[in-house]
Amino acid sequence: MKHLLTTTAITLLTALPLQAESHAGADMTAGASVTAGARDLSVASLMQATVYMPENYTMDTTDITAVPRIWDAVGTVEQVFVDDDGEVAMLVVAPSGDSNAQAERIGIDAADLDLMTIRGDEGRVVAVYTGGMDGFAGTGAFDQAAVTDMGLKP
């Protein structure tokens, strides 16, 4: 009987790390690395990032020295969703009062955002919304169930 219990305990202890490893990627932690285009960023660097909306914007770099004064801050990133490859797919944003958005939280597709790093500001990341004010203000409330159904993970 003692041998049976010992064998069972050893088998269970061996299996636990495999079970933990298979679920390790289920939820993104703040220290996790995600991909945005060709760049690797930490989830922590995206959380609370300010979302800006510029006028007459064309992206020619992902590294800037300062946020231009003509850019309007329209929200703050609250949550990051990634696809199965670890690529940023959607950012959940809390719109600011100046954005005219009707919802408290909106989901913005990563294709509508450019992520930039501000040099000299400890590598702070900002998001630039490229869809225009009408698109931002017209975005409906964030729907967690719909995003989960698309296979995206927080």
Side-chain angles (χ1 to χ4, degrees):
M1 182 65 149
K2 193 175 200 180
H3 179 67
L4 177 63
L5 290 175
T6 304
T7 307
T8 304
I10 290 172
T11 304
L12 286 174
L13 288 174
T14 306
L16 284 176
L18 294 175
Q19 178 71 12
E21 184 178 319
S22 69
H23 295 300
D27 290 320
M28 299 298 293
T29 61
S33 178
V34 294
T35 305
R39 302 173 54 208
D40 286 333
L41 301 167
S42 70
V43 172
S45 69
L46 294 172
M47 299 302 291
Q48 300 302 312
T50 303
V51 179
Y52 291 94
M53 186 173 312
E55 290 185 30
N56 302 321
Y57 169 74
T58 57
M59 182 178 164
D60 57 356
T61 184
T62 59
D63 189 27
I64 57 177
T65 56
V67 173
R69 291 183 182 165
I70 60 170
W71 288 8
D72 295 323
V74 294
T76 305
V77 175
E78 288 191 341
Q79 196 169 8
V80 179
F81 282 85
V82 297
D83 60 19
D84 289 333
D85 297 326
E87 182 82 23
V88 175
M90 180 178 287
L91 297 179
V92 179
V93 175
S96 67
D98 298 335
S99 69
N100 295 327
Q102 302 301 311
E104 289 182 25
R105 296 177 65 196
I106 60 175
I108 300 177
D109 193 299
D112 293 331
L113 294 164
D114 287 332
L115 301 174
M116 297 188 171
T117 305
I118 301 176
R119 283 182 279 142
D121 194 2
E122 298 179 7
R124 182 170 65 103
V125 175
V126 297
V128 180
Y129 180 72
T130 58
M133 185 58 86
D134 291 339
F136 190 86
T139 301
F142 172 69
D143 183 355
Q144 174 97 27
V147 171
T148 304
D149 287 345
M150 291 188 315
L152 303 181
K153 296 174 276 212

